[in-house]
Amino acid sequence: MNQHKIATYSSLVCTLSTTPNYTQLFADRIDALKREGRYRIFAELSRPRGQFPRVEWHGGEQLRDVITWCSNDYLGMGHHPAVRDAMVAAVNEGATGAGGTRNIGGTNALHIELERLLAALHDKPAALTFTSGYSANLAALSVLGSLLPNTVILSDGDNHNSMIEGIRRANTERMIFAHNDPKDLEAKLAAIDPSRPKLVVFESVYSMSGNIAPIGEFARIAKKYGAMTYLDEVHAVGMYGNRGGGVSQEQGVADQIDIIQGTLGKAFGMQGGYVTGSAAMVDCIRSFGASFIFSTSLAPVLCAGAIASVSHLMRSQEERRLQRERVAEVKSKLTARGLPVMDNPSHIVPVFVGDPVKVKTLTDRLLQNHNIYLQPINYPTVARGTERIRIAPGPCHTSEMVDALVEALVTEWIMLGLPKEMARVAA
């Protein structure tokens, strides 16, 4: 073998020997997640018609009935007869898949009807629907930040990942203000050149702590310094307000907010997201938002279900009334038994654990031993060391279910030696 061939062969051997083992690299990352106790396992569940919150768990050779306590279908509207009937009727009339993006054959009459309804829900001139609340935040915030030259976006320190990513894609200056802190927001706004466009971005209900923002105060401060306001109401629409328009509606300040973003996938029991605001602003998001332009539109059958759900909750108070009763009952009974319920004024019931391995063990034992389904909440959803379970009581839960939940939690809390003294833990 001549010298050239020897050199070529040696080079090939060297290249092959240093090629990364990609499969092993990915496997190592998963192993690291498991060692940290943060590896997430999806429970395979079926939701039999009309039985919510009773679901079927495919956890072994036989199905087991379990009670879910962590669904974001907060009011059980995904099972409401009016919603099911509307979807069946829509399918029978041909409303199944969307057929494309909104720009290319994907706009259905049901999209237009739903958007008009959502605009009316929030008393805004216009609305635009998306396939998810995540996409809505991504498109809206990236467009709003990028279209206005020299914009500064001020974002609450606990804002959701979808808002953070939307702001990042705006490619403009951003500031973080302390969570739910009007003084810090005002200090930051006061330091910005008054001539610069400004956008204040925050949520109404923070889903992992249950905190509620001082919406009116934020709106007042923003107006004082010439800033627009963007409010994420995804964990509040359907749940608060005389028509289900969210916390801003309940507090009578919705008219002071420029852009309200919401979801159809939680209290309305469907799928999809939306933004509402001025006609010009919504048209800009429609015309420039990449995650809107390039996504297949929301399936018309889902629009039909959403129309039925939103319409019902704009009229009915019963679901909200029963849900609040059940939330109060769960909070009261857990606190009375000494469990560390994280205090908040909303419908969210977080119970502090503070350890990723222990919280996973707790939820595993609740499912295996008590037929109770809860998911562990850990990093990156919450900060390390603040791991918790997150209970979402609803109008379909009964007092008997509440008692069973409390007894199961107390039993497993003692069994695992979890702390009871942290009755008031900051988020």
Side-chain angles (χ1 to χ4, degrees):
M1 186 178 293
N2 63 38
Q3 291 298 112
H4 175 72
K5 288 183 177 179
I6 291 172
T8 302
Y9 178 75
S10 298
S11 175
L12 177 61
V13 170
C14 182
T15 300
L16 290 173
S17 66
T18 57
T19 298
N21 184 335
Y22 297 108
T23 299
Q24 188 59 52
L25 289 171
F26 291 129
D28 289 345
R29 293 303 299 267
I30 294 298
D31 286 343
L33 269 184
K34 290 178 177 178
R35 287 194 299 272
E36 290 180 49
R38 294 197 296 118
Y39 182 69
R40 302 184 182 200
I41 298 172
F42 299 150
E44 184 181 351
L45 304 172
S46 298
R47 308 205 316 170
R49 182 181 66 181
Q51 296 185 33
F52 187 78
R54 188 178 306 280
V55 299
E56 292 177 341
W57 175 44
H58 302 248
E61 293 182 1
Q62 293 183 331
L63 294 179
R64 285 173 58 184
D65 284 344
V66 304
I67 303 300
T68 180
W69 283 95
C70 57
S71 174
N72 283 342
D73 187 357
Y74 291 129
L75 301 178
M77 291 302 296
H79 289 264
H80 196 283
V83 174
R84 293 203 311 268
D85 290 347
M87 296 179 78
V88 170
V91 168
N92 288 336
E93 292 170 6
T96 53
T101 66
R102 290 287 292 273
N103 298 312
I104 307 176
T107 296
N108 187 283
L110 289 167
H111 290 114
I112 306 304
E113 182 180 351
L114 175 58
E115 286 167 351
R116 288 173 178 162
L117 181 65
L118 292 169
L121 171 67
H122 294 287
D123 294 311
K124 300 295 183 189
L128 187 67
T129 55
F130 296 77
T131 53
S132 70
Y134 198 104
S135 293
N137 273 334
L138 213 60
L141 289 168
S142 62
V143 168
L144 294 171
S146 62
L147 287 189
L148 300 173
N150 206 25
T151 301
V152 183
I153 298 180
L154 298 97
S155 176
D156 186 285
D158 276 9
N159 275 345
H160 189 263
N161 176 268
S162 60
M163 305 170 82
I164 294 168
E165 287 299 318
I167 292 167
R168 182 176 292 137
R169 293 188 185 198
N171 197 29
T172 190
E173 184 178 353
R174 52 190 181 270
M175 295 181 179
I176 309 299
F177 62 91
H179 176 52
N180 277 356
D181 189 336
K183 290 183 178 179
D184 191 45
L185 173 62
E186 182 159 18
K188 287 181 165 59
L189 280 168
I192 300 171
D193 183 342
S195 67
R196 295 184 66 181
K198 296 168 284 291
L199 178 64
V200 178
V201 181
F202 58 103
E203 301 179 41
S204 59
V205 177
Y206 288 83
S207 64
M208 293 302 145
S209 64
N211 293 339
I212 292 180
I215 300 172
E217 184 68 0
F218 280 169
R220 182 192 67 77
I221 293 168
K223 184 176 181 180
K224 177 180 177 181
Y225 293 94
M228 294 194 303
T229 45
Y230 183 104
L231 176 63
D232 179 314
E233 287 259 36
V234 297
H235 287 276
V237 289
M239 308 279 291
Y240 299 85
N242 65 322
R243 295 185 301 150
V247 178
S248 59
Q249 185 177 89
E250 183 156 301
Q251 295 180 352
V253 295
D255 62 328
Q256 300 170 37
I257 301 298
D258 295 293
I259 305 106
I260 295 177
Q261 182 263 348
T263 185
L264 304 168
K266 293 182 171 59
F268 292 128
M270 288 290 100
Q271 179 185 335
Y274 63 89
V275 293
T276 65
S278 72
M281 182 274 296
V282 169
D283 202 13
C284 276
I285 296 170
R286 181 189 70 86
S287 300
F288 295 98
S291 66
F292 174 81
I293 294 170
F294 296 106
S295 291
T296 297
S297 59
L298 196 64
V301 63
L302 293 173
C303 293
I307 290 166
S309 181
V310 174
S311 298
H312 176 83
L313 289 174
M314 286 178 73
R315 299 187 303 267
S316 173
Q317 303 299 325
E318 187 66 4
E319 290 81 8
R320 288 187 282 274
R321 183 188 68 79
L322 288 172
Q323 194 260 358
R324 293 187 184 195
E325 283 184 6
R326 207 57 72 228
V327 168
E329 184 179 2
V330 171
K331 287 183 176 181
S332 171
K333 289 183 175 179
L334 287 176
T335 302
R337 299 295 292 272
L339 295 191
V341 176
M342 300 167 68
D343 191 27
N344 68 73
S346 77
H347 62 282
I348 306 295
V349 187
V351 186
F352 186 90
V353 176
D355 181 278
V357 175
K358 289 181 179 179
V359 74
K360 178 66 168 62
T361 304
L362 172 64
T363 57
D364 286 348
R365 290 180 65 88
L366 287 170
L367 186 57
Q368 292 286 351
N369 300 339
H370 305 276
N371 294 326
I372 288 172
Y373 177 64
L374 280 164
Q375 274 292 312
I377 306 298
N378 52 31
Y379 179 84
T381 306
V382 296
R384 297 179 194 273
T386 69
E387 292 82 6
R388 65 200 69 173
I389 54 172
R390 174 187 175 276
I391 304 169
C396 300
H397 291 104
T398 65
S399 288
E400 290 75 19
M401 291 176 184
V402 173
D403 289 339
L405 170 70
V406 172
E407 291 305 320
L409 275 171
V410 169
T411 297
E412 297 303 338
W413 217 265
I414 294 170
M415 182 69 66
L416 295 171
L418 297 175
K420 282 190 171 184
E421 67 275 8
M422 303 169 69
R424 293 293 180 268
V425 184

